[in-house]
Amino acid sequence: MFESGPFVAEHVSETDDEQVQPNGVDLTLEAVYEQREPGRIGRETKEVGERQQLETEQVADDAPETYYLTSGGYVVQYAETVEIPENHVGYVYPRSSLLRNSCMLNTAVWDAGYEGKGEGLLEVHHDIEIETGARIAQLVLAEADHDGTYAGSYQGENVGLDEF
Ligand SMILES: O=c1ccn([C@H]2C[C@H](O)[C@@H](COP(=O)(O)OP(=O)(O)OP(=O)(O)O)O2)c(=O)[nH]1
């Protein structure tokens, strides 16, 4: 069973009322990165290639911190700290307005016990402007059995908990 938006909101910080949806919570954009060096996926280990944070620009008087993105693939970081509670699994879906603008947000499984500001892969098929703080995705939580909790290398990512 999927949980309600208000339940999901108890596990996401900081959120405002506008982010709480019937079935989940919207995640907003904090930063956009462009990968510069190759990563590596091995049998036992993996490495994330070096990336560079892009600069925002002022595209309008009321939009001072906006990313202007041309076609390509970008790593996006969400602004909210997410904590996936025990007995649950998380899924993040793109906001449909991205799809309607020829963009796609690719996401993977969010494990029980994970905590951090996660990342996704934004595919841009047509130039788009995205303001920092804009809602780009929605997190939903489903009840799930699990064997152990998340203890991988991304635990505490982007929130200064990396030593955990
Ligand atoms: O789209 C996603 C999906 C997951 N995560 C977070 C939550 C998840 O629990 C964690 C690790 O994801 P995964 O298990 O897929 O990573 P991995 O590549 O297998 O690395 P590790 O073995 O270190 O966990 O990353 C994201 O930030 N974005």
Side-chain angles (χ1 to χ4, degrees):
M1 192 197 77
F2 283 88
E3 300 284 4
S4 69
F7 177 91
V8 178
E10 290 172 24
H11 302 279
V12 180
S13 63
E14 305 273 325
T15 53
D16 59 29
D17 290 350
E18 214 177 83
Q19 285 171 260
V20 183
Q21 303 295 331
N23 300 100
V25 166
D26 286 340
L27 300 180
T28 65
L29 178 68
E30 176 152 321
V32 179
Y33 300 88
E34 205 163 24
Q35 187 152 348
R36 296 291 187 210
E37 297 293 338
R40 182 170 188 278
I41 308 285
R43 292 187 191 176
E44 304 290 342
T45 60
K46 87 275 182 189
E47 234 169 79
V48 175
E50 192 187 313
R51 75 263 287 259
Q52 183 175 16
Q53 186 171 348
L54 299 186
E55 300 283 338
T56 56
E57 50 191 282
Q58 176 145 17
V59 298
D61 285 348
D62 61 350
E65 289 182 11
T66 299
Y67 287 101
Y68 185 98
L69 302 174
T70 56
S71 291
Y74 301 88
V75 176
V76 292
Q77 184 202 311
Y78 309 111
E80 293 75 20
T81 301
V82 167
E83 172 238 318
I84 307 297
E86 288 194 18
N87 302 311
H88 289 82
V89 61
Y91 302 103
V92 167
Y93 292 94
R95 190 172 170 192
S96 86
S97 296
L98 281 178
L99 315 181
R100 297 168 203 270
N101 275 302
S102 309
C103 295
M104 178 59 188
L105 182 63
N106 296 285
T107 68
V109 170
W110 296 59
D111 306 280
Y114 167 86
E115 185 172 353
K117 287 185 180 179
E119 300 181 349
L121 171 63
L122 180 67
E123 283 174 28
V124 174
H125 296 287
H126 194 285
D127 291 12
I128 187 169
E129 297 174 0
I130 309 181
E131 206 177 343
T132 55
R135 294 178 290 116
I136 55 170
Q138 184 171 175
L139 169 71
V140 297
L141 289 174
E143 280 182 10
D145 291 336
H146 52 89
D147 181 13
T149 53
Y150 183 68
S153 60
Y154 303 115
Q155 185 67 304
E157 64 181 329
N158 302 318
V159 290
L161 298 176
D162 303 76
E163 67 273 18
F164 280 56

